[in-house]
Amino acid sequence: MSIVIIGAGPAGITVAETIRRFDREVPITIITAESFPPYSPPAMADHFLTGRDEPLFWKGRDVADRLELDVRDDVTIRAARPAAHEVELVDGTILGYDRLVIASGSRLYAPVEGNELTGIHDFKSLRSARALLDRVRRGEVRTALVVGAGFIGTEIALLLADLGVRVTVLERLGWVMPRMLDSETAGIAARLMRERGVELRLGVEVSAFVGIAAVEGVLMATGETVTADAYIAATGVKPHLEFLAATGIDAGWGIRVDDHLRTSVRDVWAAGDVVEAVDRLTGERYVHAIFPNAVAQGEVVGRNLVGLDTTYLGAESMNSLKHLGLPIMAVGAVTGDEEFRWRSGDVLRKVFVTDGRIVGFRLTGDIGGGGILRSLLLTGRDVGGHLRHIADPGQGMAEIVFEALPA
Ligand SMILES: Cc1cc2nc3c(=O)[nH]c(=O)nc-3n(C[C@H](O)[C@H](O)[C@H](O)COP(=O)(O)OP(=O)(O)OC[C@H]3O[C@@H](n4cnc5c(N)ncnc54)[C@H](O)[C@@H]3O)c2cc1C
């Protein structure tokens, strides 16, 4: 038996690590477009700010040797051919496999005119992040424009501001991190960003990146052109599926998988940002591109590949922000039939409830009890009679509610 894994991101490396916990013999080849040891994208900002290596190379620089992996780096897949049980790399190498894992993650999605111009940076990989940071270090970037105020755009803006760059963020919607935060929580985040030196222009539409060959400016829907030393697109991500044409693998926005994370084609599995998985709470199918989902899926695929019949419980919508200097925990839906809130200054705690069940919460400044709220949400326990203080701060209140509930 032999296994080929496309992608050495959090999902791919977790597949390999999980297999090795049970099987030291099976040959594993792992293919990555990058030339670094497997890294954790959420740790990139900290790495560039502090120079620290350990959180970035989260499995250790020697992980490939430890796990006895045949790593093919700095190379991409040209095509997968499941009927022949082989993949072809762009350098012409053909690799056969008995089982294939697609963990090719996601890339920048920038549906903005002019996105093909050279010089537009993104922060989607260590290679592209380095290209931007090298320019900053060479003193070429005094001002920067970040298009998109999602959590990646926010992270880049804060990093650049901390490095002394004058940063402006352009965001179409009226508040920062609009998919993750409600407007009130986002208001606190926006104030903290401004205090750190980030200029926010919210509710503004970018029409195009403009320039002859290289980007020279950003054209706004108002007709105004804004310029800077560096332009960064942080407009979203899209699964890496380009090499799947003619494979017959069922895919929409991402690869569709069953509850064991098998694709529609025999002997091919998928995990991570590339997968359209079922949401654990809502049953909806979607790509939820976050680190914990990638790791959890990697484990499920790894276990199934060594013959341990393992069902995936479903994806979660969960995020936490550390870079603002104030912790924010965002889990589940951002609205519900009822909203319970507690606020004192920058401590804001909101719990969203539908039919007596927690469907989401946002905790800012004090994230105590977040774990208990999450478990109430995931287990779908009826909290109907205990709602009055559900958002109150401190782990204590959540514990009282938890203990009062019938098992
Ligand atoms: C700046 C940043 C900050 C983030 N912060 C957070 C956070 O705070 N919390 C959180 O939960 N998530 C965060 N995320 C998201 C998280 O990093 C991703 O969900 C996670 O990395 C997904 O893992 P993956 O292995 O599926 O994909 P990726 O990490 O995208 O890895 C994909 C791998 O596939 C390889 N590959 C791609 N295409 C090919 C090809 N054609 N041929 C060969 N190899 C290929 C790549 O080289 C790479 O090795 C952040 C992401 C970024 C970019």
Side-chain angles (χ1 to χ4, degrees), residues 7-11 31-34 41-42 44 75-77 103-106 123-124 151-152 155 240 243 272-273 289-292 294 319:
I31 303 157
T32 167
E34 297 195 70
M44 289 195 300
V75 67
T76 52
I77 292 278
S104 47
S106 55
F123 215 71
K124 197 41 204 96
F151 75 83
I152 294 182
E155 203 169 297
H240 262 298
F243 52 90
D273 280 9
I290 59 168
F291 190 90
N319 226 320

PDB file of all heavy atoms in Angstrom, residues 7-11 31-34 41-42 44 75-77 103-106 123-124 151-152 155 240 243 272-273 289-292 294 319, ligand 1:
ATOM      1  N   GLY A   7      -0.493  18.420  -0.507  1.00  0.00           N
ATOM      2  CA  GLY A   7      -0.593  19.513   0.451  1.00  0.00           C
ATOM      3  C   GLY A   7       0.034  19.159   1.778  1.00  0.00           C
ATOM      4  O   GLY A   7      -0.239  18.096   2.346  1.00  0.00           O
ATOM      5  N   ALA A   8       0.919  20.061   2.263  1.00  0.00           N
ATOM      6  CA  ALA A   8       1.580  19.846   3.556  1.00  0.00           C
ATOM      7  C   ALA A   8       1.151  20.912   4.551  1.00  0.00           C
ATOM      8  O   ALA A   8       1.888  21.280   5.463  1.00  0.00           O
ATOM      9  CB  ALA A   8       3.092  19.871   3.373  1.00  0.00           C
ATOM     10  N   GLY A   9      -0.056  21.445   4.350  1.00  0.00           N
ATOM     11  CA  GLY A   9      -0.606  22.409   5.310  1.00  0.00           C
ATOM     12  C   GLY A   9      -1.099  21.668   6.546  1.00  0.00           C
ATOM     13  O   GLY A   9      -0.848  20.458   6.704  1.00  0.00           O
ATOM     14  N   PRO A  10      -1.809  22.381   7.428  1.00  0.00           N
ATOM     15  CA  PRO A  10      -2.291  21.749   8.664  1.00  0.00           C
ATOM     16  C   PRO A  10      -3.081  20.466   8.400  1.00  0.00           C
ATOM     17  O   PRO A  10      -2.936  19.487   9.137  1.00  0.00           O
ATOM     18  CB  PRO A  10      -3.186  22.830   9.268  1.00  0.00           C
ATOM     19  CG  PRO A  10      -2.588  24.118   8.773  1.00  0.00           C
ATOM     20  CD  PRO A  10      -2.082  23.831   7.393  1.00  0.00           C
ATOM     21  N   ALA A  11      -3.880  20.421   7.333  1.00  0.00           N
ATOM     22  CA  ALA A  11      -4.662  19.210   7.068  1.00  0.00           C
ATOM     23  C   ALA A  11      -3.749  18.072   6.610  1.00  0.00           C
ATOM     24  O   ALA A  11      -3.777  16.973   7.179  1.00  0.00           O
ATOM     25  CB  ALA A  11      -5.731  19.496   6.007  1.00  0.00           C
ATOM     26  N   ILE A  31       3.176  16.198  -1.171  1.00  0.00           N
ATOM     27  CA  ILE A  31       3.548  17.170  -2.211  1.00  0.00           C
ATOM     28  C   ILE A  31       3.150  18.564  -1.747  1.00  0.00           C
ATOM     29  O   ILE A  31       2.014  18.758  -1.298  1.00  0.00           O
ATOM     30  CB  ILE A  31       2.806  16.840  -3.521  1.00  0.00           C
ATOM     31  CG1 ILE A  31       3.126  15.414  -3.962  1.00  0.00           C
ATOM     32  CG2 ILE A  31       3.158  17.825  -4.622  1.00  0.00           C
ATOM     33  CD1 ILE A  31       2.068  14.832  -4.873  1.00  0.00           C
ATOM     34  N   THR A  32       4.068  19.509  -1.858  1.00  0.00           N
ATOM     35  CA  THR A  32       3.728  20.873  -1.450  1.00  0.00           C
ATOM     36  C   THR A  32       4.291  21.882  -2.435  1.00  0.00           C
ATOM     37  O   THR A  32       5.401  21.716  -2.952  1.00  0.00           O
ATOM     38  CB  THR A  32       4.226  21.187  -0.018  1.00  0.00           C
ATOM     39  OG1 THR A  32       4.145  22.598   0.201  1.00  0.00           O
ATOM     40  CG2 THR A  32       5.650  20.731   0.227  1.00  0.00           C
ATOM     41  N   ALA A  33       3.508  22.920  -2.674  1.00  0.00           N
ATOM     42  CA  ALA A  33       3.939  23.963  -3.600  1.00  0.00           C
ATOM     43  C   ALA A  33       5.004  24.857  -2.967  1.00  0.00           C
ATOM     44  O   ALA A  33       5.632  25.652  -3.662  1.00  0.00           O
ATOM     45  CB  ALA A  33       2.722  24.791  -4.010  1.00  0.00           C
ATOM     46  N   GLU A  34       5.194  24.723  -1.664  1.00  0.00           N
ATOM     47  CA  GLU A  34       6.130  25.625  -0.994  1.00  0.00           C
ATOM     48  C   GLU A  34       7.437  24.916  -0.660  1.00  0.00           C
ATOM     49  O   GLU A  34       7.535  23.694  -0.766  1.00  0.00           O
ATOM     50  CB  GLU A  34       5.479  26.193   0.253  1.00  0.00           C
ATOM     51  CG  GLU A  34       4.257  27.030  -0.140  1.00  0.00           C
ATOM     52  CD  GLU A  34       3.776  27.897   0.960  1.00  0.00           C
ATOM     53  OE1 GLU A  34       4.483  28.863   1.293  1.00  0.00           O
ATOM     54  OE2 GLU A  34       2.706  27.614   1.487  1.00  0.00           O
ATOM     55  N   PRO A  41      -0.325  28.788   9.171  1.00  0.00           N
ATOM     56  CA  PRO A  41      -0.584  30.154   8.697  1.00  0.00           C
ATOM     57  C   PRO A  41      -1.021  31.133   9.796  1.00  0.00           C
ATOM     58  O   PRO A  41      -0.599  32.294   9.768  1.00  0.00           O
ATOM     59  CB  PRO A  41      -1.677  29.959   7.639  1.00  0.00           C
ATOM     60  CG  PRO A  41      -1.471  28.558   7.145  1.00  0.00           C
ATOM     61  CD  PRO A  41      -1.039  27.777   8.348  1.00  0.00           C
ATOM     62  N   PRO A  42      -1.821  30.711  10.790  1.00  0.00           N
ATOM     63  CA  PRO A  42      -2.204  31.679  11.823  1.00  0.00           C
ATOM     64  C   PRO A  42      -1.000  32.219  12.611  1.00  0.00           C
ATOM     65  O   PRO A  42      -1.122  33.265  13.269  1.00  0.00           O
ATOM     66  CB  PRO A  42      -3.132  30.882  12.756  1.00  0.00           C
ATOM     67  CG  PRO A  42      -3.669  29.769  11.915  1.00  0.00           C
ATOM     68  CD  PRO A  42      -2.562  29.438  10.948  1.00  0.00           C
ATOM     69  N   MET A  44       1.864  33.174  11.244  1.00  0.00           N
ATOM     70  CA  MET A  44       2.777  33.947  10.389  1.00  0.00           C
ATOM     71  C   MET A  44       2.997  35.367  10.917  1.00  0.00           C
ATOM     72  O   MET A  44       4.116  35.869  10.940  1.00  0.00           O
ATOM     73  CB  MET A  44       2.261  33.990   8.945  1.00  0.00           C
ATOM     74  CG  MET A  44       2.370  32.657   8.236  1.00  0.00           C
ATOM     75  SD  MET A  44       2.187  32.739   6.438  1.00  0.00           S
ATOM     76  CE  MET A  44       0.562  33.409   6.214  1.00  0.00           C
ATOM     77  N   VAL A  75       6.843  22.242  -5.810  1.00  0.00           N
ATOM     78  CA  VAL A  75       6.298  21.677  -7.051  1.00  0.00           C
ATOM     79  C   VAL A  75       4.775  21.563  -6.901  1.00  0.00           C
ATOM     80  O   VAL A  75       4.277  21.369  -5.797  1.00  0.00           O
ATOM     81  CB  VAL A  75       6.940  20.300  -7.342  1.00  0.00           C
ATOM     82  CG1 VAL A  75       6.539  19.242  -6.328  1.00  0.00           C
ATOM     83  CG2 VAL A  75       6.602  19.819  -8.739  1.00  0.00           C
ATOM     84  N   THR A  76       4.065  21.732  -7.996  1.00  0.00           N
ATOM     85  CA  THR A  76       2.604  21.607  -7.913  1.00  0.00           C
ATOM     86  C   THR A  76       2.141  20.402  -8.733  1.00  0.00           C
ATOM     87  O   THR A  76       2.882  19.846  -9.543  1.00  0.00           O
ATOM     88  CB  THR A  76       1.899  22.875  -8.444  1.00  0.00           C
ATOM     89  OG1 THR A  76       2.405  23.166  -9.722  1.00  0.00           O
ATOM     90  CG2 THR A  76       2.089  24.057  -7.521  1.00  0.00           C
ATOM     91  N   ILE A  77       0.901  20.069  -8.506  1.00  0.00           N
ATOM     92  CA  ILE A  77       0.276  18.965  -9.243  1.00  0.00           C
ATOM     93  C   ILE A  77      -0.222  19.511 -10.573  1.00  0.00           C
ATOM     94  O   ILE A  77      -0.847  20.568 -10.611  1.00  0.00           O
ATOM     95  CB  ILE A  77      -0.954  18.466  -8.449  1.00  0.00           C
ATOM     96  CG1 ILE A  77      -0.517  17.806  -7.153  1.00  0.00           C
ATOM     97  CG2 ILE A  77      -1.809  17.538  -9.267  1.00  0.00           C
ATOM     98  CD1 ILE A  77      -0.080  16.383  -7.342  1.00  0.00           C
ATOM     99  N   ALA A 103      -5.384  17.598   0.052  1.00  0.00           N
ATOM    100  CA  ALA A 103      -5.376  18.558   1.164  1.00  0.00           C
ATOM    101  C   ALA A 103      -4.679  19.821   0.660  1.00  0.00           C
ATOM    102  O   ALA A 103      -3.789  20.365   1.296  1.00  0.00           O
ATOM    103  CB  ALA A 103      -4.654  17.969   2.374  1.00  0.00           C
ATOM    104  N   SER A 104      -5.111  20.255  -0.522  1.00  0.00           N
ATOM    105  CA  SER A 104      -4.409  21.351  -1.220  1.00  0.00           C
ATOM    106  C   SER A 104      -4.857  22.735  -0.766  1.00  0.00           C
ATOM    107  O   SER A 104      -4.405  23.739  -1.313  1.00  0.00           O
ATOM    108  CB  SER A 104      -4.595  21.197  -2.739  1.00  0.00           C
ATOM    109  OG  SER A 104      -5.945  20.948  -3.049  1.00  0.00           O
ATOM    110  N   GLY A 105      -5.735  22.790   0.244  1.00  0.00           N
ATOM    111  CA  GLY A 105      -6.033  24.074   0.876  1.00  0.00           C
ATOM    112  C   GLY A 105      -6.708  25.070  -0.025  1.00  0.00           C
ATOM    113  O   GLY A 105      -7.445  24.727  -0.955  1.00  0.00           O
ATOM    114  N   SER A 106      -6.408  26.334   0.227  1.00  0.00           N
ATOM    115  CA  SER A 106      -7.097  27.395  -0.507  1.00  0.00           C
ATOM    116  C   SER A 106      -6.104  28.468  -0.933  1.00  0.00           C
ATOM    117  O   SER A 106      -4.994  28.549  -0.425  1.00  0.00           O
ATOM    118  CB  SER A 106      -8.184  28.006   0.371  1.00  0.00           C
ATOM    119  OG  SER A 106      -7.635  28.440   1.594  1.00  0.00           O
ATOM    120  N   PHE A 123      -1.459  37.395   1.648  1.00  0.00           N
ATOM    121  CA  PHE A 123      -0.864  36.840   2.863  1.00  0.00           C
ATOM    122  C   PHE A 123      -1.335  35.405   3.024  1.00  0.00           C
ATOM    123  O   PHE A 123      -1.500  34.902   4.116  1.00  0.00           O
ATOM    124  CB  PHE A 123      -1.325  37.692   4.059  1.00  0.00           C
ATOM    125  CG  PHE A 123      -0.294  37.839   5.139  1.00  0.00           C
ATOM    126  CD1 PHE A 123       0.836  38.613   4.935  1.00  0.00           C
ATOM    127  CD2 PHE A 123      -0.448  37.221   6.370  1.00  0.00           C
ATOM    128  CE1 PHE A 123       1.796  38.761   5.929  1.00  0.00           C
ATOM    129  CE2 PHE A 123       0.490  37.358   7.377  1.00  0.00           C
ATOM    130  CZ  PHE A 123       1.610  38.133   7.161  1.00  0.00           C
ATOM    131  N   LYS A 124      -1.567  34.756   1.890  1.00  0.00           N
ATOM    132  CA  LYS A 124      -2.212  33.453   1.934  1.00  0.00           C
ATOM    133  C   LYS A 124      -1.191  32.326   2.121  1.00  0.00           C
ATOM    134  O   LYS A 124      -1.549  31.223   2.500  1.00  0.00           O
ATOM    135  CB  LYS A 124      -3.028  33.280   0.638  1.00  0.00           C
ATOM    136  CG  LYS A 124      -4.073  32.228   0.594  1.00  0.00           C
ATOM    137  CD  LYS A 124      -4.889  32.101   1.853  1.00  0.00           C
ATOM    138  CE  LYS A 124      -5.500  30.726   2.003  1.00  0.00           C
ATOM    139  NZ  LYS A 124      -4.767  29.784   2.814  1.00  0.00           N
ATOM    140  N   PHE A 151     -10.762  38.540   8.757  1.00  0.00           N
ATOM    141  CA  PHE A 151      -9.764  38.353   9.814  1.00  0.00           C
ATOM    142  C   PHE A 151      -8.347  38.323   9.263  1.00  0.00           C
ATOM    143  O   PHE A 151      -7.415  38.760   9.944  1.00  0.00           O
ATOM    144  CB  PHE A 151     -10.098  37.208  10.777  1.00  0.00           C
ATOM    145  CG  PHE A 151      -9.887  35.813  10.272  1.00  0.00           C
ATOM    146  CD1 PHE A 151      -8.628  35.215  10.310  1.00  0.00           C
ATOM    147  CD2 PHE A 151     -10.944  35.081   9.785  1.00  0.00           C
ATOM    148  CE1 PHE A 151      -8.439  33.918   9.868  1.00  0.00           C
ATOM    149  CE2 PHE A 151     -10.763  33.782   9.325  1.00  0.00           C
ATOM    150  CZ  PHE A 151      -9.510  33.206   9.363  1.00  0.00           C
ATOM    151  N   ILE A 152      -8.157  37.891   8.013  1.00  0.00           N
ATOM    152  CA  ILE A 152      -6.792  37.920   7.465  1.00  0.00           C
ATOM    153  C   ILE A 152      -6.372  39.368   7.177  1.00  0.00           C
ATOM    154  O   ILE A 152      -5.272  39.788   7.530  1.00  0.00           O
ATOM    155  CB  ILE A 152      -6.689  37.029   6.209  1.00  0.00           C
ATOM    156  CG1 ILE A 152      -6.893  35.559   6.606  1.00  0.00           C
ATOM    157  CG2 ILE A 152      -5.329  37.204   5.516  1.00  0.00           C
ATOM    158  CD1 ILE A 152      -6.777  34.555   5.471  1.00  0.00           C
ATOM    159  N   GLU A 155      -5.477  41.039  10.361  1.00  0.00           N
ATOM    160  CA  GLU A 155      -4.190  40.589  10.886  1.00  0.00           C
ATOM    161  C   GLU A 155      -3.027  41.259  10.143  1.00  0.00           C
ATOM    162  O   GLU A 155      -2.061  41.710  10.763  1.00  0.00           O
ATOM    163  CB  GLU A 155      -4.131  39.074  10.706  1.00  0.00           C
ATOM    164  CG  GLU A 155      -3.188  38.413  11.643  1.00  0.00           C
ATOM    165  CD  GLU A 155      -3.368  36.895  11.597  1.00  0.00           C
ATOM    166  OE1 GLU A 155      -4.450  36.421  11.946  1.00  0.00           O
ATOM    167  OE2 GLU A 155      -2.410  36.225  11.196  1.00  0.00           O
ATOM    168  N   HIS A 240      -8.238  25.172  -3.698  1.00  0.00           N
ATOM    169  CA  HIS A 240      -7.313  24.828  -4.786  1.00  0.00           C
ATOM    170  C   HIS A 240      -7.806  23.564  -5.476  1.00  0.00           C
ATOM    171  O   HIS A 240      -7.529  22.457  -5.018  1.00  0.00           O
ATOM    172  CB  HIS A 240      -5.956  24.450  -4.176  1.00  0.00           C
ATOM    173  CG  HIS A 240      -4.960  25.532  -4.171  1.00  0.00           C
ATOM    174  ND1 HIS A 240      -4.484  26.110  -5.302  1.00  0.00           N
ATOM    175  CD2 HIS A 240      -4.295  26.116  -3.157  1.00  0.00           C
ATOM    176  CE1 HIS A 240      -3.579  27.012  -4.983  1.00  0.00           C
ATOM    177  NE2 HIS A 240      -3.444  27.039  -3.692  1.00  0.00           N
ATOM    178  N   PHE A 243      -6.440  21.206 -10.434  1.00  0.00           N
ATOM    179  CA  PHE A 243      -5.902  19.975 -11.025  1.00  0.00           C
ATOM    180  C   PHE A 243      -6.915  18.828 -11.048  1.00  0.00           C
ATOM    181  O   PHE A 243      -6.584  17.698 -11.372  1.00  0.00           O
ATOM    182  CB  PHE A 243      -4.647  19.546 -10.255  1.00  0.00           C
ATOM    183  CG  PHE A 243      -4.888  19.459  -8.780  1.00  0.00           C
ATOM    184  CD1 PHE A 243      -5.326  18.281  -8.210  1.00  0.00           C
ATOM    185  CD2 PHE A 243      -4.704  20.577  -7.960  1.00  0.00           C
ATOM    186  CE1 PHE A 243      -5.578  18.208  -6.851  1.00  0.00           C
ATOM    187  CE2 PHE A 243      -4.959  20.506  -6.596  1.00  0.00           C
ATOM    188  CZ  PHE A 243      -5.394  19.327  -6.048  1.00  0.00           C
ATOM    189  N   GLY A 272      -9.508  19.562   4.959  1.00  0.00           N
ATOM    190  CA  GLY A 272      -9.045  20.942   5.104  1.00  0.00           C
ATOM    191  C   GLY A 272      -9.832  21.943   4.286  1.00  0.00           C
ATOM    192  O   GLY A 272     -10.977  21.713   3.896  1.00  0.00           O
ATOM    193  N   ASP A 273      -9.187  23.075   4.005  1.00  0.00           N
ATOM    194  CA  ASP A 273      -9.833  24.204   3.316  1.00  0.00           C
ATOM    195  C   ASP A 273     -10.404  23.833   1.948  1.00  0.00           C
ATOM    196  O   ASP A 273     -11.192  24.574   1.383  1.00  0.00           O
ATOM    197  CB  ASP A 273      -8.811  25.328   3.075  1.00  0.00           C
ATOM    198  CG  ASP A 273      -8.570  26.183   4.306  1.00  0.00           C
ATOM    199  OD1 ASP A 273      -9.054  25.803   5.388  1.00  0.00           O
ATOM    200  OD2 ASP A 273      -7.897  27.219   4.178  1.00  0.00           O
ATOM    201  N   ALA A 289     -13.104  27.588   6.148  1.00  0.00           N
ATOM    202  CA  ALA A 289     -11.650  27.521   6.071  1.00  0.00           C
ATOM    203  C   ALA A 289     -10.986  27.988   7.356  1.00  0.00           C
ATOM    204  O   ALA A 289     -10.442  29.085   7.431  1.00  0.00           O
ATOM    205  CB  ALA A 289     -11.175  28.352   4.875  1.00  0.00           C
ATOM    206  N   ILE A 290     -11.031  27.145   8.372  1.00  0.00           N
ATOM    207  CA  ILE A 290     -10.324  27.496   9.606  1.00  0.00           C
ATOM    208  C   ILE A 290      -9.455  26.327  10.070  1.00  0.00           C
ATOM    209  O   ILE A 290      -9.710  25.170   9.760  1.00  0.00           O
ATOM    210  CB  ILE A 290     -11.273  27.943  10.744  1.00  0.00           C
ATOM    211  CG1 ILE A 290     -12.279  26.852  11.082  1.00  0.00           C
ATOM    212  CG2 ILE A 290     -11.951  29.260  10.405  1.00  0.00           C
ATOM    213  CD1 ILE A 290     -13.050  27.116  12.372  1.00  0.00           C
ATOM    214  N   PHE A 291      -8.446  26.699  10.825  1.00  0.00           N
ATOM    215  CA  PHE A 291      -7.405  25.767  11.271  1.00  0.00           C
ATOM    216  C   PHE A 291      -7.973  24.545  12.018  1.00  0.00           C
ATOM    217  O   PHE A 291      -7.641  23.398  11.665  1.00  0.00           O
ATOM    218  CB  PHE A 291      -6.434  26.563  12.154  1.00  0.00           C
ATOM    219  CG  PHE A 291      -5.190  25.851  12.520  1.00  0.00           C
ATOM    220  CD1 PHE A 291      -4.065  25.933  11.726  1.00  0.00           C
ATOM    221  CD2 PHE A 291      -5.121  25.091  13.679  1.00  0.00           C
ATOM    222  CE1 PHE A 291      -2.900  25.280  12.070  1.00  0.00           C
ATOM    223  CE2 PHE A 291      -3.964  24.435  14.027  1.00  0.00           C
ATOM    224  CZ  PHE A 291      -2.856  24.539  13.225  1.00  0.00           C
ATOM    225  N   PRO A 292      -8.815  24.734  13.048  1.00  0.00           N
ATOM    226  CA  PRO A 292      -9.276  23.542  13.785  1.00  0.00           C
ATOM    227  C   PRO A 292     -10.034  22.555  12.904  1.00  0.00           C
ATOM    228  O   PRO A 292      -9.928  21.338  13.105  1.00  0.00           O
ATOM    229  CB  PRO A 292     -10.202  24.098  14.880  1.00  0.00           C
ATOM    230  CG  PRO A 292     -10.067  25.561  14.868  1.00  0.00           C
ATOM    231  CD  PRO A 292      -9.369  25.975  13.614  1.00  0.00           C
ATOM    232  N   ALA A 294      -9.457  22.006   9.698  1.00  0.00           N
ATOM    233  CA  ALA A 294      -8.450  21.326   8.868  1.00  0.00           C
ATOM    234  C   ALA A 294      -7.774  20.205   9.658  1.00  0.00           C
ATOM    235  O   ALA A 294      -7.597  19.089   9.161  1.00  0.00           O
ATOM    236  CB  ALA A 294      -7.412  22.335   8.368  1.00  0.00           C
ATOM    237  N   ASN A 319     -13.738  30.979  15.862  1.00  0.00           N
ATOM    238  CA  ASN A 319     -12.506  31.723  15.661  1.00  0.00           C
ATOM    239  C   ASN A 319     -12.166  32.502  16.915  1.00  0.00           C
ATOM    240  O   ASN A 319     -13.053  32.862  17.676  1.00  0.00           O
ATOM    241  CB  ASN A 319     -12.637  32.681  14.475  1.00  0.00           C
ATOM    242  CG  ASN A 319     -11.430  32.585  13.583  1.00  0.00           C
ATOM    243  OD1 ASN A 319     -10.314  32.475  14.079  1.00  0.00           O
ATOM    244  ND2 ASN A 319     -11.636  32.610  12.288  1.00  0.00           N
TER     245      ASN A 319
HETATM  246  C1  LIG B   1      -2.808  34.839   7.507  1.00  0.00           C
HETATM  247  C2  LIG B   1      -3.724  33.745   7.951  1.00  0.00           C
HETATM  248  C3  LIG B   1      -4.203  33.746   9.235  1.00  0.00           C
HETATM  249  C4  LIG B   1      -5.081  32.749   9.642  1.00  0.00           C
HETATM  250  N1  LIG B   1      -5.527  32.787  10.935  1.00  0.00           N
HETATM  251  C5  LIG B   1      -6.366  31.823  11.361  1.00  0.00           C
HETATM  252  C6  LIG B   1      -6.809  31.804  12.709  1.00  0.00           C
HETATM  253  O1  LIG B   1      -6.486  32.685  13.513  1.00  0.00           O
HETATM  254  N2  LIG B   1      -7.629  30.798  13.103  1.00  0.00           N
HETATM  255  C7  LIG B   1      -8.008  29.810  12.242  1.00  0.00           C
HETATM  256  O2  LIG B   1      -8.743  28.911  12.664  1.00  0.00           O
HETATM  257  N3  LIG B   1      -7.601  29.796  10.950  1.00  0.00           N
HETATM  258  C8  LIG B   1      -6.793  30.770  10.501  1.00  0.00           C
HETATM  259  N4  LIG B   1      -6.362  30.755   9.193  1.00  0.00           N
HETATM  260  C9  LIG B   1      -6.843  29.698   8.283  1.00  0.00           C
HETATM  261  C10 LIG B   1      -6.019  28.428   8.402  1.00  0.00           C
HETATM  262  O3  LIG B   1      -4.668  28.739   8.270  1.00  0.00           O
HETATM  263  C11 LIG B   1      -6.452  27.444   7.315  1.00  0.00           C
HETATM  264  O4  LIG B   1      -7.783  27.060   7.553  1.00  0.00           O
HETATM  265  C12 LIG B   1      -5.543  26.199   7.283  1.00  0.00           C
HETATM  266  O5  LIG B   1      -4.222  26.551   6.970  1.00  0.00           O
HETATM  267  C13 LIG B   1      -6.066  25.194   6.263  1.00  0.00           C
HETATM  268  O6  LIG B   1      -5.196  24.130   6.164  1.00  0.00           O
HETATM  269  P1  LIG B   1      -5.062  23.245   4.852  1.00  0.00           P
HETATM  270  O7  LIG B   1      -3.997  22.248   5.126  1.00  0.00           O
HETATM  271  O8  LIG B   1      -6.408  22.774   4.457  1.00  0.00           O
HETATM  272  O9  LIG B   1      -4.629  24.258   3.705  1.00  0.00           O
HETATM  273  P2  LIG B   1      -3.359  25.198   3.505  1.00  0.00           P
HETATM  274  O10 LIG B   1      -2.834  25.685   4.801  1.00  0.00           O
HETATM  275  O11 LIG B   1      -3.793  26.188   2.483  1.00  0.00           O
HETATM  276  O12 LIG B   1      -2.247  24.231   2.869  1.00  0.00           O
HETATM  277  C14 LIG B   1      -2.395  23.749   1.553  1.00  0.00           C
HETATM  278  C15 LIG B   1      -1.151  23.000   1.111  1.00  0.00           C
HETATM  279  O13 LIG B   1      -1.374  22.516  -0.214  1.00  0.00           O
HETATM  280  C16 LIG B   1      -0.282  22.846  -1.059  1.00  0.00           C
HETATM  281  N5  LIG B   1      -0.800  22.967  -2.431  1.00  0.00           N
HETATM  282  C17 LIG B   1      -1.785  23.767  -2.870  1.00  0.00           C
HETATM  283  N6  LIG B   1      -2.025  23.584  -4.183  1.00  0.00           N
HETATM  284  C18 LIG B   1      -1.149  22.636  -4.582  1.00  0.00           C
HETATM  285  C19 LIG B   1      -0.882  22.009  -5.818  1.00  0.00           C
HETATM  286  N7  LIG B   1      -1.560  22.317  -6.926  1.00  0.00           N
HETATM  287  N8  LIG B   1       0.086  21.086  -5.861  1.00  0.00           N
HETATM  288  C20 LIG B   1       0.778  20.757  -4.753  1.00  0.00           C
HETATM  289  N9  LIG B   1       0.559  21.306  -3.550  1.00  0.00           N
HETATM  290  C21 LIG B   1      -0.380  22.238  -3.456  1.00  0.00           C
HETATM  291  C22 LIG B   1       0.267  24.117  -0.458  1.00  0.00           C
HETATM  292  O14 LIG B   1       1.606  24.331  -0.850  1.00  0.00           O
HETATM  293  C23 LIG B   1       0.127  23.795   1.031  1.00  0.00           C
HETATM  294  O15 LIG B   1       1.188  22.955   1.451  1.00  0.00           O
HETATM  295  C24 LIG B   1      -5.475  31.742   8.744  1.00  0.00           C
HETATM  296  C25 LIG B   1      -4.986  31.744   7.433  1.00  0.00           C
HETATM  297  C26 LIG B   1      -4.119  32.726   7.029  1.00  0.00           C
HETATM  298  C27 LIG B   1      -3.606  32.717   5.623  1.00  0.00           C
END
